Amino acid sequence: MLIFAQKNFFVQFDNSKKLGILGGGQLGRMIIQAAIDFDFTIKSLDPDPDAPCKHIAHEFVNGSLKDFDTVMAFGQDCDIITIEIENVSIEALETFEKQGKLVYPQPSVLRLIQDKRIQKQFYKDNNLPTADFILTENQADVKNYVDFLPAVHKLGTGGYDGKGVQVLRSEADLAKAFDQPSVLEKMVDFEKELAVIVARNASGEIKTFPVVEMVFHPEANLVEYLFAPAEISAEIEAQAEQVAIKTAEAFGVVGLLAVEMFLTKDSQILINEVAPRPHNSGHQSIRANDVSQYEQHLRAIFDLPLGSTKAHSKAAMVNLLGEDGHSGEAVYEGMNEVLGVEGVHPFLYGKKITKPFRKMGHITIIDQNFDKLKEKVIFVKEKLKVVTK
């Protein structure tokens, strides 16, 4: 054990503690890759018997993330428990917390975030900027708000990666409105979609990663690629960072909080959604920043001093999605061509089977020149395809 001081508080580094991760997907995989450098012991739980974490975690358990007994059995020998997906048994996490285990993000934070209806109300109650919204109970209820359209209708629970989200532009669209408790958000006329990842450790230290600009896939409704840093003014950058910090402080979250935002045409920042974990909008940090979001998450939940988020280069991240019309054993067509380009770094997620729009990996691209960076992004998007044999 090493004792060291920073900013008037002492932190005890103890890598003998076992970390349990609820979720064994690509985010968990990249957390483990960062944890190897600290020699942390990692245990992972996932319902997929062939989850990306299976072969790199010290222990892998195949089981439900939402079943109370399964999660309780999984976490009994863990000292710290974290998540890589929000759809987990909060009741089990609350029980662990009562038993004295460290659970980050805290179950109270997950309760606020897991349901988008509660999440939106939290912003309003804490004077955090967000689009106007109406809570709806069922499809019939939505029909009472024709005058509120155009709007985005989001399921309260169960949605992810664009699922459980749809646009209602006019009365003709009301027939497809969700017939479950949802939130109807006023359509925002935005200039850009931005994101800030903010880290907060248990001692209250906070650091943000540079603001990124996201571009969403028109069909899959998930991030297709992003640029870091975003092309915005210093004033907008400062505004976005302050909104992210204020949001993390309002939640009191320990760990990471990814804050997705709209930059409106009149230069206002509005919170879209948040995620209390490593996030798609921070993948590029593995190569582009002094500390990656995954290492920062570990530092935060182990209450270690947070690392520098300084960017060493301009960067982009391209999500590697399964091609439409291809389902089966994955083949990475064009990989040799893109690997021949300077500054191109692939990260594959260990998923053997592809299907349309499935996240199979991502490509981080770095370059000091922004125009050259954009050229590389176009080249990678055109050349690299996930298809089947």
Side-chain angles (χ1 to χ4, degrees), residues 177-205:
F178 295 122
D179 197 24
Q180 300 172 50
S182 305
V183 58
L184 192 65
E185 297 181 12
K186 191 68 177 177
M187 185 83 76
V188 176
D189 186 20
F190 61 84
E191 186 73 29
K192 295 175 183 287
E193 294 194 65
L194 308 175
V196 174
I197 290 181
V198 55
R200 181 177 180 274
N201 65 19
S203 295
E205 184 186 11

Side-chain angles (χ1 to χ4, degrees), residues 112 118-126 128 247 250-251:
L112 291 170
I118 299 173
Q119 185 182 144
K120 291 291 286 189
Q121 191 63 47
F122 178 84
Y123 302 148
K124 184 176 181 179
D125 294 344
N126 286 272
L128 296 168
T247 304
F251 280 113

